[in-house]
């Protein structure tokens, strides 16, 4: 064999080895990246975490976008109810403002946000959700509503104002999966006797 042929064969073999090692390292890097992003995805799964700029915002997106509902959003996240608020609905959400949460007895919100009180918090939040998509005026026809926590709440009309569970509807925003009625109080579920 000529020296030139041996050199070409050796160079070719060496090139193939480098190519093989390079491909193997690239595959390993992709695997490592995939496993770390899979961990992130596992923490934020479900419809609540799908970004969609083209459609009408759902009730959760409306709350997230409102500076007056940061406490409500924090409570929804602490209770793990994000995905429930983005389902097809239709849903009516009675959304207490930050001021409504601040009006609760001191320490109530902080206590409810603790992990050990997740079930109690979820019960309160579900008491703010009803199946349906009714305007404030249409709600005047009701005496009570069945809430998502399997309890009822009252509907009262005082002049032009509508109160749900004692909370006054102060604004309404249509959503892609229902309607958000902004209320001035936190609606406390009735205690079972």
């Amino acid at each position: 064999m000529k020296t030139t042929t041996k050199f070409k064969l050796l160079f070719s073999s060496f090139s193939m080895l480098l190519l093989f090692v390079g491909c193997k390292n690239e595959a390993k890097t992709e695997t490592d990246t995939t496993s770390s992003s899979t961990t992130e995805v596992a923490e934020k799964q479900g419809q609540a975490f799908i970004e969609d700029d083209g459609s009408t915002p759902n009730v959760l997106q409306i709350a997230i976008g409102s500076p007056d509902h940061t406490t409500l959003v924090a409570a929804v996240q602490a209770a793990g109810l994000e995905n429930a608020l983005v389902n097809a609905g239709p849903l009516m959400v009675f959304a207490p403002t930050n001021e409504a949460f601040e009006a609760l007895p001191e320490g109530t919100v902080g206590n409810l946000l603790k992990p050990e009180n997740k079930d109690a918090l979820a019960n309160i939040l579900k008491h703010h959700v009803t199946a349906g998509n009714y305007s404030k005026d249409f709600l005047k026809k009701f005496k009570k509503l069945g809430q998502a926590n399997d309890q009822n709440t009252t509907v009262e009309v005082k002049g032009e104002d509508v109160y749900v569970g004692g909370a006054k509807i102060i604004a309404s925003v249509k959503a892609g999966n229902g309607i958000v009625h902004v209320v001035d109080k936190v609606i406390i579920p009735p205690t079972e006797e």
Side-chain angles (χ1 to χ4, degrees), residues 109-124:
V109 174
N111 192 40
L112 284 170
L113 292 175
K114 292 179 181 175
E116 61 268 21
N117 295 324
K118 184 177 180 177
D119 291 340
L121 177 60
N123 182 56
I124 291 170

Side-chain angles (χ1 to χ4, degrees), residues 36-136:
S36 67
S37 65
T38 302
T39 306
E40 284 180 32
V41 170
E43 293 173 6
K44 293 187 172 188
Q45 287 185 334
Q47 294 176 353
F49 303 101
I50 295 173
E51 292 186 25
D52 176 13
D53 296 332
S55 60
T56 304
N58 59 51
V59 295
L60 179 61
Q61 291 167 330
I62 289 170
I64 289 172
S66 169
D68 295 324
H69 291 91
T70 55
T71 305
L72 175 62
V73 171
V76 166
Q77 291 169 338
L81 295 176
E82 297 103 316
N83 287 316
L85 294 178
V86 297
N87 71 32
L91 299 174
M92 281 191 301
V93 175
F94 300 98
T97 61
N98 293 340
E99 290 78 18
F101 281 102
E102 290 168 8
L104 292 172
E106 189 175 331
T108 301
V109 174
N111 192 40
L112 284 170
L113 292 175
K114 292 179 181 175
E116 61 268 21
N117 295 324
K118 184 177 180 177
D119 291 340
L121 177 60
N123 182 56
I124 291 170
L125 293 174
K126 288 177 183 178
H127 197 66
H128 289 78
V129 180
T130 298
N133 187 5
Y134 307 130
S135 69
K136 176 181 158 183

